């Protein structure tokens, strides 16, 4: 449907005053697509005519084109990081912006709109502007998919299998046509099955928003021999790259990859991490930038210094890595890599005992971008070195969140019962 063809109120020739309702659709569109993101989305509540105009795909496309013209230096929408301390006691998700971008400065990000539970909501993954959350860190059974900008969310039906240690992943896409915008997502769960086989069997569950149902099947991953190997994969944060889920191993040896779309071929595989990272204590940070999988790592060096390493997966099929950067950094209570800029791989965020620093891997310069308040992430958030952080099992997780030029819609799920629970859609829209 052409948004310009929507009915508009005819001006009253007898009226001396003109209101915005008297404007033609062409003029109304020109006004609405020039205002900031927050009111542009919120104005859908004004009237039926306005919601018709704003909800059309052409309006979102025109709004997006204008935003790209306003920010020509940005090859992608602005981004930020979410933080959550999930162990030993889960704490609420915190949103911190490190860019003074007007889109973030005018937005109130929060997960408080989700149903209240005894424990804070666990942030699991993000894709295309939507977020996957759970009510528990272990034994995950209840999942929400939401847009923290619009406060819209859906509850995903209960998965068929219960397991204490689950690797969860999430991927989302939006398709546009001349009539509607269609958003689709998949939630992936991978857990281990005890067998007497040489290699470990994995139970895979995939929830598809198109069907509102879970699909369950068994996969074998060559190289995983015991359940203990599986439980050492980091549950946070999963990286979805080219619709393939990636989880890094705590022992700095492997990356578990799962292809959610390639159903008939072998979907699970192990990618060996760079040999130089083997048996090092620490936390590998995975990222995808410029079409390639990357990993960042801080390791012990001589003379009380840390060694920063940046690796790029040059050949994904063959699992061939190449070293992009390697240099020592002053050991000023640096703990590990938190996150990487989604567009510029030279911009890296590092966790320090009392603050977060930005490292420019090109210039090797660091600057503090955020200071922790006392007790913000628990009483013991002042570790003295990466080894103590590793053995303490304290988990301060960071998640990249890319703000879309236009908010991604949350698809409505089938309202019929699916495996014991009703999937429903909840709209917020005003923020």
């Amino acid at each position: 449907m052409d948004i310009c063809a929507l009915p508009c109120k005819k001006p009253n020739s007898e009226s001396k005053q003109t209101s915005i309702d008297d404007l033609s659709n062409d003029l109304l569109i020109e006004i609405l697509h020039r205002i900031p993101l927050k009111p542009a989305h919120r104005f859908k509540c004004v009237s039926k005519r306005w919601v018709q105009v704003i909800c059309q795909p052409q309006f979102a496309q025109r709004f997006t084109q204008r935003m790209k013209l306003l920010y020509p230096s940005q090859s992608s929408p602005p981004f930020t990081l979410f933080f959550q301390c999930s162990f030993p006691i889960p704490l609420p998700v915190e949103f911190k912006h490190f860019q003074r971008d007007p889109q973030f400065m005018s937005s109130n990000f929060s997960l408080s709109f989700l149903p209240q539970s005894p424990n804070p909501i666990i942030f699991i993954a993000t894709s295309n502007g939507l977020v996957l959350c759970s009510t528990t860190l272990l034994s995950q059974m209840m999942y929400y998919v939401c847009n923290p900008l619009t406060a819209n969310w859906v509850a995903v039906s209960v998965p068929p299998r219960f397991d204490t240690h689950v690797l969860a992943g999430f991927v989302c896409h939006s398709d546009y046509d001349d009539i509607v915008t269609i958003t689709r997502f998949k939630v992936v769960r991978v857990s281990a099955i005890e067998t007497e086989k040489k290699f470990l069997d994995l139970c895979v569950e995939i929830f598809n928003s198109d069907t509102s149902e879970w699909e369950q099947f068994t996969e074998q991953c060559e190289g995983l021999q015991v359940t203990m190997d599986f439980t050492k994969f980091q549950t946070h944060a999963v990286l979805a790259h080219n619709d393939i889920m990636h989880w890094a191993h705590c022992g700095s040896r492997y990356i578990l990859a799962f292809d959610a779309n390639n159903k008939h071929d072998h979907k699970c595989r192990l990618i060996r991490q760079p040999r130089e990272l083997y048996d090092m204590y620490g936390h590998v940070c995975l990222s995808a930038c410029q079409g390639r999988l990357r990993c960042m790592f801080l390791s012990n060096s001589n003379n009380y210094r840390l060694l920063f390493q940046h690796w790029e997966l040059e050949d994904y099929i063959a699992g061939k890595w190449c070293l992009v950067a390697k240099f020592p950094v002053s050991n000023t209570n640096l703990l590990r890599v938190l996150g990487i800029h989604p567009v510029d791989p030279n911009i890296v965020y590092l966790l320090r005992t009392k603050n977060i620093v930005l490292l420019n891997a090109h210039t090797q310069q660091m600057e503090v971008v955020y200071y922790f308040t006392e007790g913000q992430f628990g009483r013991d958030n002042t570790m003295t070195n990466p080894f103590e952080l590793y053995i303490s099992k304290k988990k301060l997780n960071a998640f990249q969140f890319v703000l879309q030029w236009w908010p991604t819609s949350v698809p409505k799920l089938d309202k019929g019962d699916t495996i014991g629970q009703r999937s429903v859609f909840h709209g917020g829209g005003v923020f």
Side-chain angles (χ1 to χ4, degrees):
M1 178 188 298
D2 186 355
I3 50 180
C4 295
L6 292 173
C8 63
K9 182 178 179 180
K10 296 182 178 179
N12 188 350
S13 59
E14 298 180 357
S15 177
K16 296 182 180 180
Q17 295 183 346
T18 301
S19 70
I20 196 169
D21 288 334
D22 297 323
L23 298 177
S24 66
N25 283 303
D26 287 335
L27 290 177
L28 181 61
I29 293 166
E30 286 299 319
I31 293 173
L32 293 179
H33 91 267
R34 293 175 183 272
I35 58 181
L37 175 62
K38 181 177 178 178
H41 185 80
R42 186 172 56 189
F43 283 171
K44 291 192 295 184
C45 301
V46 172
S47 67
K48 291 183 178 179
R49 179 191 174 200
W50 284 35
V51 73
Q52 283 181 307
V53 169
I54 296 173
C55 286
Q56 290 298 315
Q58 294 93 330
F59 182 87
Q61 292 169 358
R62 193 176 298 187
F63 188 93
T64 299
Q65 291 171 357
R66 180 175 177 272
M67 294 302 294
K68 291 179 179 179
L69 292 175
L70 287 177
Y71 302 96
S73 61
Q74 295 184 190
S75 56
S76 71
F79 92 107
T80 190
L81 296 177
F82 282 105
F83 296 99
Q84 183 168 38
C85 181
S86 58
F87 189 87
I89 301 175
L91 296 175
V93 175
E94 294 202 17
F95 159 78
K96 302 297 176 186
H97 55 78
F98 299 136
Q99 296 177 332
R100 298 190 63 82
D101 188 282
Q103 299 303 309
F104 278 125
M105 300 295 288
S106 63
S107 303
N108 180 24
F109 283 76
S110 171
L111 299 180
S112 60
F113 55 85
L114 293 175
Q116 298 296 316
S117 62
N119 298 316
I121 294 294
I122 303 298
F123 194 110
I124 296 177
T126 178
S127 176
N128 194 31
L130 298 188
V131 172
L132 175 67
C133 305
S134 179
T135 55
T136 56
L137 180 63
L138 298 176
S139 306
Q140 297 172 2
M141 293 297 288
M142 185 66 195
Y143 295 97
Y144 301 120
V145 174
C146 66
N147 187 323
L149 179 66
T150 64
N152 291 336
W153 60 277
V154 290
V156 176
S157 60
V158 175
R161 175 181 167 84
F162 174 83
D163 201 285
T164 302
H165 188 85
V166 174
L167 301 181
F170 178 62
V171 63
C172 169
H173 292 285
S174 292
D175 298 320
Y176 299 90
D177 59 27
D178 293 336
I179 301 177
V180 295
T181 302
I182 301 175
T183 301
R184 297 182 172 91
F185 68 80
K186 289 183 179 179
V187 178
V188 176
R189 285 166 42 97
V190 181
S191 56
I193 303 174
E194 292 283 357
T195 66
E196 296 181 356
K197 299 179 182 179
K198 180 180 179 181
F199 297 115
L200 196 65
D201 281 345
L202 300 179
C203 177
V204 178
E205 300 160 288
I206 300 179
F207 179 88
N208 193 324
S209 62
D210 284 343
T211 62
S212 297
E213 294 180 349
W214 288 93
E215 177 188 10
Q216 185 182 40
F217 53 91
T218 301
E219 279 286 325
Q220 188 179 86
C221 186
E222 185 175 348
L224 287 179
Q225 298 182 350
V226 294
T227 305
M228 184 60 69
D229 287 341
F230 179 81
T231 57
K232 289 183 179 179
F233 282 101
Q234 298 168 177
T235 56
H236 291 75
V238 58
L239 171 68
H241 176 51
N242 294 333
D243 291 352
I244 302 177
M245 313 296 170
H246 300 85
W247 296 272
H249 196 269
C250 291
S252 301
R253 283 184 176 270
Y254 305 105
I255 296 171
L256 177 62
F258 172 75
D259 187 347
N261 295 324
N262 191 11
K263 179 177 178 180
H264 299 291
D265 293 334
H266 203 57
K267 303 172 69 170
C268 292
R269 62 173 291 212
L270 288 181
I271 302 174
R272 287 187 176 271
Q273 294 183 24
R275 187 171 297 276
E276 287 79 355
L277 303 184
Y278 283 11
D279 300 322
M280 290 184 178
Y281 294 109
H283 179 107
V284 172
C285 181
L286 298 179
S287 178
C289 187
Q290 299 175 355
R292 287 187 175 180
L293 187 69
R294 301 169 184 264
C295 72
M296 308 282 186
F297 195 79
L298 278 175
S299 60
N300 289 319
S301 181
N302 296 326
N303 302 321
Y304 302 99
R305 296 168 74 86
L306 293 176
L307 194 64
F308 174 79
Q309 300 184 53
H310 175 187
W311 293 84
E312 179 181 278
L313 191 55
E314 188 177 43
D315 189 329
Y316 188 89
I317 302 300
K320 180 182 178 182
W321 294 89
C322 66
L323 182 63
V324 178
K326 181 178 181 181
F327 54 87
V329 294
S330 300
N331 189 355
T332 52
N333 293 326
L334 286 173
L335 301 178
R336 65 176 174 87
V337 181
L338 271 181
I340 307 168
H341 195 286
V343 177
D344 187 353
N346 289 316
I347 304 301
V348 183
Y349 295 96
L350 305 177
L351 173 66
R352 202 151 60 178
T353 54
K354 296 183 179 181
N355 51 48
I356 295 173
V357 297
L358 182 152
L359 169 66
N360 188 319
H362 179 69
T363 63
Q364 301 183 16
Q365 299 297 313
M366 290 189 295
E367 63 173 309
V368 177
V369 293
Y370 180 73
Y371 287 94
F372 295 131
T373 58
E374 184 176 356
Q376 180 177 358
F377 292 111
R379 296 179 180 178
D380 59 337
N381 67 327
T382 54
M383 307 299 175
T384 59
N385 57 58
F387 178 72
E388 288 188 10
L389 179 69
Y390 176 75
I391 64 176
S392 72
K393 298 182 180 179
K394 186 175 181 64
K395 296 180 180 179
L396 176 59
N397 301 305
F399 307 88
Q400 290 183 0
F401 183 81
V402 178
L403 180 66
Q404 304 301 301
W405 292 126
W406 184 252
T408 303
S409 60
V410 180
K412 295 183 180 180
L413 302 181
D414 184 2
K415 294 185 179 181
D417 289 334
T418 56
I419 316 180
Q421 181 170 332
R422 189 176 297 273
S423 300
V424 293
F425 172 80
H426 300 264
V430 179
F431 51 97

